[in-house]
Amino acid sequence: MVRKAELKDAKMIAELLSTFGDEIFDITGAVINTDKELIVKLFDENLGEKFEAFVYEKDSEVIGFITFCESFSMYAKGEYYTVTELYVDRNYRSQNIGKKLLDTVIELAKKEKKLRLELTTPPLPEFQKSLDFYLQNGFEVSGGKKVKLEI
C-alpha cells in the first residue's frame, strides 16, 4: 500500500537508495550518494520542509519510495513538482508499485493545481527501461541532457 512517508521510514529508504546507487554505479560507473547515515540525516532534517515522499509498504517493509519537491519556472508557467527519486526493490519490480507511487504524486499535483511533473531518468541508454516506464505513464521527453556542476 502507498502511504505518506514518515521519519521512521528513513533507514529503509536509505537502504533502498543505497542499493539504487550501487545498481547505477555497477551498470554505468555514475556515482550518487549511497552513504546511508547521510541519507537518514538528510531525510530526517528535510522531510516536509524541502521535499515530500511516499512509500510503498508490504508486510511492514518499505519496498519502494518516491520523493519530490516543489519547483517554479517561467518556462513551465509557474509551480510544478520535480520527482527527485523513484525506486522499487528489484524483487518487486513489474508489479505496478512504481506506477502506484507515481500516480499518487500525479493525483497530489492535480489537487494542488501544479502544472506539470518533471524528472530525470537514470543514465541512458543503460536505463532505457526506466524511460520507457515514464513514457508509458504519460510523460514525454522534453529536452536535452541533464548536466551538473559539483560545488
Side-chain angles (χ1 to χ4, degrees), residues 33-55:
N33 178 28
T34 58
D35 180 333
K36 294 174 196 166
E37 287 182 24
L38 179 56
I39 293 168
V40 168
K41 180 179 187 282
L42 291 169
F43 188 89
D44 288 347
E45 290 176 356
N46 296 288
L47 180 66
E49 290 187 35
K50 295 189 177 180
F51 78 99
E52 299 292 337
F54 290 100
V55 297

Side-chain angles (χ1 to χ4, degrees), residues 77-122:
K77 301 178 187 171
E79 294 180 354
Y80 62 97
Y81 285 145
T82 298
V83 173
T84 52
E85 290 116 358
L86 171 57
Y87 183 74
V88 176
D89 182 301
R90 69 179 67 205
N91 298 316
Y92 295 96
R93 292 183 186 157
S94 299
Q95 297 180 29
N96 286 322
I97 293 169
K99 179 172 177 31
K100 289 175 184 171
L101 288 163
L102 191 58
D103 285 347
T104 302
V105 176
I106 291 169
E107 287 307 310
L108 179 63
K110 288 177 182 175
K111 179 181 169 194
E112 297 292 324
K113 298 191 180 355
K114 303 300 180 213
L115 299 172
R116 67 166 60 190
L117 216 57
E118 288 188 356
L119 57 85
T120 302
T121 66

